[in-house]
Structure formats: C-alpha cells, structure tokens
Amino acid sequence: MNPSFPSITFPNHWTLATGLYPEAHGIVGNEFYDPSKGKMFIHKKPEISMQSEWWSGEPIWTTSSKQGRKSGVIMWPGSAVPKTLPDYLIDYKREVTAEQKMDMALEWFDKPLEERPQMISIYIPQVDQKGHGGGPEGKQLNGVLSKMDDAVGHLLKGLEERNLDNHVNVVIVSDHGMAQTDKSRLIFYEDILSKETLSFLREREAWPLLSLRPVDNAPEGIVQQIYEELYNYTQQPNKDHADGKAHFQVYLRENVPERFHYSNNERIAPIVTIPDVGYAIVSHKDYKIPHGVHGYDNLALEMRAIFMARGPKVSKLYPESGTVFSPFFNIEVYGFLTRLLNLNEAPNNGTLHGVFQPK
C-alpha cells in the first residue's frame, strides 16, 4: 500500500481514518503553520493539536457511530479531537504495550451486546519508535517486530477463545515505511540560502521536508527569492556529496507535482523542498537526526506501507485465501472499512469504494 504525501505519521493516520488526502483534511504535517489562524499546529502538544479547529473530514469511528454502530478507539492519532470523539476512547499513553492494547480491545468485546463497539481502531507506535532510533536496519527492530506479531496473535487467540473469530474482521495497516540515513547524507540549508533570505523565514515546517514560509513583514518577492536560491543550487555541481548532486527537489506550492496532492491548502508552506530518500535537510544547530527517517516521496520503495485483512466479510469479498492486491493508495482504506461494516461513506478522495483488484 502506498501512503499519502508527505509520508509522515499524523497526516497518514488521519488519511487512513477519513479517506482524504492531507491537503483535503488539513493535517499537512506533524508541525505546520496556519496563516488564517496565525498559529502553529504541533503534534506533540495535545493542548494545541487536539483542538477541533485543525481537523476536517469524518473518521471511520464517527461514520460508524452516526449510523448506529458503536465505535472504540485505542490511542489512534486524532481520536481525542472533541468534535469526532468515538463512543469509547482510550487516549494516548506511550508506556502501554501492544499486548495491553489488545487486552483493552478484548475487554470491549466482553461487554453486553448492546454496549459492544462494532468498530475498533488501535494504534501501535513501537515499530516506528525503534525504526527512528536504530533505523530499519537496526539490530533492535526485528525483536520489536516479533513482539508486535505476538500481540496480533494474542488478539486473534482472544477472539477465538470468545468464539468471535468467525464474526470479526481484522485489518492491519501501517502509516508509512522507513529509510536508513546517516551523517554523510545531511544537507545544510543555511549554507544554501543567503543571510538576507534566512532573516525573513519562519520556523521550518513538515519535517523531513524543508517547507519554508516567510514572516508576515517580509518584502514582496521573497517567496520567489527563496525558491530561486534553492533551485539554482540544484542546477550546479555539488561539492558536498561525492556524486555531485544536490539530493533534493524544490517547488513553489502551486507547482508541486499533481500526484502528491499537496498544493491546495494554505497550511502547506509556499516553498516545498523534498529531499531524496535517505537524505535530511538540516540546520547546523539541529543536525542531530535519527537513524531512520520517513516523509519522503510516497512512491519510494522504502516508504511503502502494509495492508492485510482477514475475517468473514473479507473472505466473502475475496474467497481465495492469500489473495494479493495490486498496489493502491491509503485513501482507499476508509472505503474498505465502510464496506466491511455495511456503512455509507462520508465524502472522501477514494475511488475504489473498497473493491481492490487482485494481482
């Protein structure tokens, strides 16, 4: 499965939940500036990020609740937003293990039928956390993957013990992939832009993109000036990398290639700079970077996400066990879930409506 662009956590979790591209649902990065509000969205500050004003679209748990099916969400990004609260919510706590989350879901299955949620979403961040720390090639990652696999097994066993394995559909997805990086693949943007240009910039947005926005009192023409300084750098032999390449592409927001679906929202900065996979655009004061990075071109091999599904409705739709689908974009997951739940879709960007093409 291909993630949406940029291939980072909050935009893609909300895309999975709503079926909307980030430019449509408004969560265009983990950190971004909204010029109409005059303030920053910062995903790690829930007092800011969990305000309803940031979030557009209808997540699957709201669709479910609106149509008479109770919903429960365990720590999914965006689920604590007041205007789209599920019927049951367990808010994010970093220290909770994957197996503990599966037990929380199983406890909901033990509720009386009239109280039991028919739609449950669970977020597990441990693979992402270890991927950032050691990279996708790091020694610790296989152990974490094994624990996550055990947690899924724990859930399936719990369903079987409750005689629910032939009644529950289980869908497993990831929000993005991960690429290995290191200090040999750093690009210092302060060495590219002039001091004058740097003096007119707000704080960068949408890491690992270099999304740049001028301050309100910047002179006319500054956006074009920023673009030309970055673009001209890409047209010259580069002495900092052995292959002589700049290792990034820069666009004015309105010229970002259409396939990214990343132009039609003012929360996207006027300058969008996309590093090559494995490279990081940094400043000299914050060049400490993780060993694993994501957020690159959403069609890059390293950014691919996963999609797996099993259960009675899945088998009805796709009778042949082990069916492999042709690649699709994660805007289609919402439609697939509504199909499993026999729900009417809210407006979204998906086109397949839950009907995937076997490979």
Side-chain angles (χ1 to χ4, degrees), residues 48 159 273 276 287 321 348:
I48 296 173
L159 293 174
T273 309
D276 290 354
Y287 71 87
S321 179
N348 67 89

Side-chain angles (χ1 to χ4, degrees), residues 181-193 204 207-210 230 233-234 238 240-241 243 245-250 273-287 289 296:
T181 189
D182 61 51
K183 290 183 179 180
S184 70
R185 295 196 286 273
L186 298 180
I187 302 164
F188 292 95
Y189 70 89
E190 296 154 316
D191 297 342
I192 301 173
L193 296 172
R204 68 178 296 172
W207 163 268
L209 308 181
L210 181 66
L230 289 167
Y233 181 83
T234 69
N238 186 279
D240 296 322
H241 298 112
D243 59 8
K245 296 179 181 178
H247 291 290
F248 66 83
Q249 301 293 320
V250 61
T273 309
I274 307 173
D276 290 354
V277 173
Y279 283 79
I281 307 176
V282 298
S283 71
H284 287 286
K285 62 184 178 183
D286 66 2
Y287 71 87
I289 60 168
Y296 303 107

